[in-house]
């Protein structure tokens, strides 16, 4: 069910979103060759709690068959698309690209959820990696620009797919953006691609959505690791991920996860 947030609720989401953006910026600044990703996860949790929030991902369960997510931060490296477990022993190396996905409930008690992600380079990365990250960010920005009352979610999906495929890359098909606010994941789904007959929702003032293009260098097909969380490209090629939480306003939109 699609939910509509009040102005007072959006004010809290705005406050939480700015705090979350600050947390992610500080974590991203620590991404260097030789960094243990579990140290990034520890920093993210510390900063969220110091901000008066609660990690949204820690302990999250998609369903009863899936174990609780064991980290605050998703750290997805190179061919990992999303949900790379932040408490793993991995060490970043020069040339890696790293997706950092983070969510927060703010205030900590009875608060509201915001969600965002960036992909950042470690040292000197390949020209392909640079282009992949740019195209993914461009796809997010193009979709955000369309957000307004009366727009259709499939319009966002179409522009994401078009931006990505014109560059020779592939949008992931089995994962989506989503509504957000009262819960971490709400309706409507916001797909990274379009096909005839898929569900569509008309955006309304007061809706809050998380748009998140997930883009693969090669095929869009993915696999899931034995940890039940880490999702990677089936062909082991690179992937990038960018995400913002956006409120639909009377005259357009407001990106809530910016400082």
């Amino acid at each position: 069910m699609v939910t509509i947030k009040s102005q007072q609720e959006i004010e809290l989401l705005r406050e939480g979103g700015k705090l979350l953006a600050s947390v992610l910026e500080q974590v991203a600044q620590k991404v260097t060759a030789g960094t243990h990703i579990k140290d990034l996860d520890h920093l993210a949790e510390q900063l969220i709690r110091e901000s008066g929030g609660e990690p949204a991902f820690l302990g999250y369960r998609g369903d009863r068959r899936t174990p609780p997510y064991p980290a605050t931060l998703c750290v997805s490296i190179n061919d990992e698309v999303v949900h790379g477990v932040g408490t793993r022993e991995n060490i970043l190396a020069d040339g890696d690209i790293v997706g950092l996905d983070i969510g927060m409930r703010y205030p900590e008690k009875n608060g509201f959820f915001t969600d965002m992600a960036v992909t950042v380079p470690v040292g000197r990365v390949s020209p392909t990696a640079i282009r992949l990250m740019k195209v993914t960010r461009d796809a997010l920005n193009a979709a955000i620009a369309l957000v307004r009352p009366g727009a259709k979610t499939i319009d966002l999906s179409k522009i994401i797919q078009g931006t990505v495929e014109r560059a020779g890359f592939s949008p992931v098909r089995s994962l989506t953006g989503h509504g957000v606010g009262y819960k971490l994941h709400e309706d409507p789904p916001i797909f990274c691609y379009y096909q005839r007959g898929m569900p569509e929702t008309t955006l309304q003032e007061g809706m809050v959505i998380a748009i998140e293009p997930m883009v693969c260098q090669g095929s869009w097909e993915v696999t899931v690791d034995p940890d039940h969380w880490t999702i990677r490209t089936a062909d082991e090629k690179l992937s990038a991920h960018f995400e913002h939480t956006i409120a639909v306003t009377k005259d357009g939109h407001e990106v809530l996860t910016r400082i």
Side-chain angles (χ1 to χ4, degrees):
M1 181 181 73
V2 171
T3 63
I4 303 297
K5 280 72 178 181
S6 69
Q7 286 302 311
Q8 184 178 12
E9 289 168 339
I10 289 176
E11 286 175 11
L12 281 171
L13 282 159
R14 181 184 298 114
E15 185 175 350
K18 289 182 183 297
L19 290 169
L20 184 61
S22 176
V23 168
L24 186 55
E25 181 178 71
Q26 292 176 74
V27 172
Q29 289 173 353
K30 298 296 183 181
V31 171
T32 58
T35 296
H36 291 250
I37 67 169
K38 63 183 180 181
D39 292 337
L40 298 176
D41 182 78
H42 176 76
L43 176 61
E45 180 174 0
Q46 175 187 332
L47 292 172
I48 284 175
R49 296 196 188 279
E50 288 175 353
S51 297
E54 178 182 64
F57 298 168
L58 183 60
Y60 177 84
R61 298 184 75 164
D63 55 53
R64 293 182 178 180
R65 297 171 296 174
T66 305
Y69 187 74
T72 291
L73 187 67
C74 295
V75 185
S76 304
I77 307 167
N78 295 332
D79 66 329
E80 296 170 356
V81 181
V82 286
H83 304 164
V85 177
T87 50
R88 294 174 295 170
E89 296 294 331
N90 299 55
I91 300 174
L92 300 179
D94 189 69
D96 287 339
I97 61 170
V98 184
L100 303 172
D101 187 4
I102 193 167
M104 180 171 71
R105 184 178 188 174
Y106 178 86
E108 179 181 2
K109 302 298 182 184
N110 302 315
F112 297 88
F113 291 91
T114 52
D115 190 4
M116 68 180 302
V118 297
T119 301
V120 296
V122 183
R124 186 174 181 178
V125 303
S126 70
T128 298
I130 292 171
R131 195 164 69 90
L132 177 65
M133 290 186 289
K134 181 183 184 302
V135 168
T136 307
R137 188 190 291 272
D138 288 347
L140 172 60
N141 289 334
I144 291 172
L146 296 183
V147 174
R148 65 187 187 281
K152 307 284 188 182
T153 52
I154 60 169
D155 297 333
L156 312 184
S157 301
K158 288 177 179 178
I159 201 164
I160 290 171
Q161 182 176 19
T163 302
V164 169
E165 291 184 347
R166 281 193 298 272
F169 298 131
S170 302
V172 167
R173 298 196 171 200
S174 57
L175 302 158
T176 75
H178 50 90
V180 65
Y182 299 140
K183 300 178 182 178
L184 180 59
H185 295 111
E186 301 178 5
D187 288 331
I190 301 170
F191 294 85
C192 298
Y193 76 106
Y194 169 75
Q195 68 179 25
R196 188 183 300 273
M198 69 171 21
E200 63 176 276
T201 299
T202 301
L203 300 181
Q204 305 172 54
E205 181 183 359
M207 288 177 62
V208 179
I209 57 176
I211 303 174
E212 49 180 320
M214 292 157 275
V215 180
C216 302
Q217 176 190 353
S219 168
W220 53 264
E221 295 178 315
V222 299
T223 61
V224 183
D225 281 7
D227 64 14
H228 301 285
W229 282 107
T230 305
I231 297 175
R232 66 178 71 238
T233 57
D235 58 12
E236 300 182 347
K237 293 185 178 180
L238 297 175
S239 183
H241 176 209
F242 286 85
E243 177 182 17
H244 271 305
T245 295
I246 301 103
V248 183
T249 64
K250 179 180 179 180
D251 300 316
H253 63 267
E254 178 184 356
V255 178
L256 301 175
T257 44
R258 282 183 180 152
I259 299 173

